[in-house]
């Protein structure tokens, strides 16, 4: 369904130079699977997801040993070919529906256009399908809502429209980048539930900085730090017994209601700038478990009790 091998995303930097913001990410997914990508702001989560849809902004570029999206070689796809792929093979739910939806078109006409682009339906049939989908994503009075503009809807309803637009052509892969960050806590839970319900037979990539969100609807989690995955594994294992000190740090920094209240401990310092090309572990300046070797030698992902961790001195498994 999705195969990503050694993906790099870069931007030009200075004269003839480039800086990599995604520095060699690999993963694969099958239908029905949900993967969360978590990490602090700036770690490269959005650039990773945009690269899967050919949407990395100019003048940036991507490189990969392999990038297969629903059986298509995404590296070879040109500007003219992507519109046929986006929405049909892979679709995206953006964080902010106001920027993801066309403000001067009614939600009905946006949905009808999306259907007609990928399916050979008449306008009447496309309209019928659009109204059915508006209803399926839990928007009341779908016929009346067909004619409204995005700004006339609440944030929660707009995000439901975004989900409708993402799933309307039954894509094999759905990427949701912080889909609930802009919403109230009570609405967040409803939108996550809807997302989970709507993409049961696709592969879902959920980008989030919220570990609770990751745990609630995903099977697997990839923890991203400074452009690389540093720990990847089943959500229940990684979030209950993290082995990478960064994962442990993220967990210690968020409130958890499933165990006794511990004081929250923020991770000290901040991530390195993308153009920092030290040879050691990028987390070393902030790591409570750092050893001498860490500042000179960068650890690669290696299997530790069945899941990959990039660390010389992992958190003990007790
Ligand atoms: N258009 C751009 N030009 C140069 N650097 C960019 C651009 N967009 C994003 N970046 C950089 O890429 C890095 C990763 O960004 P992003 O993928 O948005 O992180 P995240 O989604 O994890 O918060 C950041 O350091 C950011 O500053
Ligand atoms: S390799 Fe060293 S510095 Fe990096 S996370 Fe592990 S212990 Fe910390
Ligand atoms: Mg982002």
């Amino acid at each position: 369904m999705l195969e990503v091998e050694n993906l790099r995303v870069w931007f030009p930097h200075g004269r003839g130079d480039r800086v990599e913001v995604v520095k060699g990410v690999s993963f694969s997914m099958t239908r029905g699977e949900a993967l969360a990508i978590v990490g602090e702001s700036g770690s490269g989560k959005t650039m990773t997801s945009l690269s899967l849809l050919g949407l990395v902004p100019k003048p940036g570029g991507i490189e990969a040993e392999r990038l297969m999206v629903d059986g298509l070689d995404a590296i070879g796809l040109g500007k003219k070919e992507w519109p046929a792929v986006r929405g049909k093979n892979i679709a995206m739910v953006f964080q902010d529906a106001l920027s993801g939806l066309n403000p001067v078109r009614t939600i009905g006409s946006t949905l009808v256009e999306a259907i007609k682009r990928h399916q050979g339906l008449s306008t009447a049939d496309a309209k019928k399908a659009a109204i059915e989908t508006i209803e399926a994503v839990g928007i009341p009075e779908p016929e009346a809502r067909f004619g409204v503009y995005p700004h006339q809807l609440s944030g929660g309803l707009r995000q439901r429209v975004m989900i409708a637009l993402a799933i309307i052509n039954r894509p094999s892969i759905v990427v949701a980048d912080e889909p609930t960050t802009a919403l109230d806590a009570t609405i967040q839970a409803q939108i996550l539930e809807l997302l989970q319900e709507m993409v049961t037979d696709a592969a879902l990539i959920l980008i989030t900085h919220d570990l609770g969100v990751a745990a609630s609807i995903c099977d697997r989690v990839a923890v991203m730090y400074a452009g690389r995955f540093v720990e990847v594994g089943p959500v229940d294992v990684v979030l209950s017994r993290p082995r990478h000190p960064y994962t442990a740090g993220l967990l210690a920094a968020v409130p958890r209601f499933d165990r006794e209240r511990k004081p929250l401990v923020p991770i000290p310092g901040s991530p390195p700038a993308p153009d920092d090309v030290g040879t050691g572990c990028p987390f070393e300046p902030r790591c409570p478990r750092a050893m001498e070797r860490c500042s000179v030698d960068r650890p690669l992902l290696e299997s530790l009790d069945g899941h990959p961790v990039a660390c010389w001195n992992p958190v003990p498994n007790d």
Side-chain angles (χ1 to χ4, degrees), residues 31-224:
R31 226 171 234 289
E33 228 192 326
L35 170 75
I37 303 181
V38 304
E40 283 163 297
S41 174
S43 54
K45 305 181 298 295
T46 293
M47 289 304 144
T48 301
S49 57
L50 292 179
S51 67
L52 306 178
L53 293 106
L55 288 175
V56 168
K58 290 271 168 234
I62 75 165
E63 243 168 48
E65 269 158 51
R66 198 170 159 77
L67 188 56
M68 298 297 289
V69 173
D70 198 20
L72 301 164
D73 183 359
I75 296 283
L77 291 176
K79 223 168 134 179
K80 288 210 179 102
E81 287 133 342
W82 269 113
V85 174
R86 263 182 236 130
K88 183 165 195 298
N89 303 90
I90 182 166
M92 180 119 175
V93 177
F94 293 93
Q95 171 178 342
D96 173 11
L98 267 188
S99 55
L101 295 169
N102 188 337
V104 298
R105 295 189 75 157
T106 63
I107 63 167
S109 90
T110 297
L111 289 168
V112 164
E113 192 219 61
I115 296 168
K116 289 177 78 176
R117 188 183 314 140
H118 298 296
Q119 305 175 30
L121 293 185
S122 67
T123 303
D125 285 345
K127 182 170 177 188
K128 195 164 156 269
I131 289 172
E132 279 167 15
T133 310
I134 296 172
E135 187 164 26
V137 296
I139 299 178
E141 300 171 64
E143 261 127 33
R145 258 37 190 279
F146 185 90
V148 306
Y149 291 90
H151 73 266
Q152 293 174 293
L153 295 172
S154 67
L157 288 186
R158 264 200 309 266
Q159 208 55 328
R160 286 179 189 267
V161 175
M162 280 284 281
I163 293 173
L165 186 60
I167 55 128
I168 201 152
N169 292 300
R170 304 193 161 277
S172 306
I173 305 159
V174 175
V175 184
D177 189 355
E178 307 268 9
T180 59
T181 306
L183 304 173
D184 294 343
T186 48
I187 314 277
Q188 276 188 15
Q190 294 168 11
I191 295 294
L192 286 173
E193 208 172 293
L194 174 70
L195 195 58
Q196 190 177 31
E197 205 179 289
M198 289 286 130
V199 290
T200 42
D201 51 343
L204 172 67
I205 300 179
L206 178 67
I207 310 267
T208 176
H209 62 269
D210 186 329
L211 296 165
V213 165
S216 68
I217 68 167
C218 292
D219 323 301
R220 256 195 317 155
V221 58
V223 180
M224 194 162 190

Side-chain angles (χ1 to χ4, degrees), residues 244-246 281 283-284 287 289-291 294 299 310-314:
H244 196 285
Y246 177 61
C281 170
F283 191 54
E284 189 268 341
C287 183
R289 300 185 58 80
M291 309 181 302
C294 304
C311 179
W312 299 125
N313 187 24

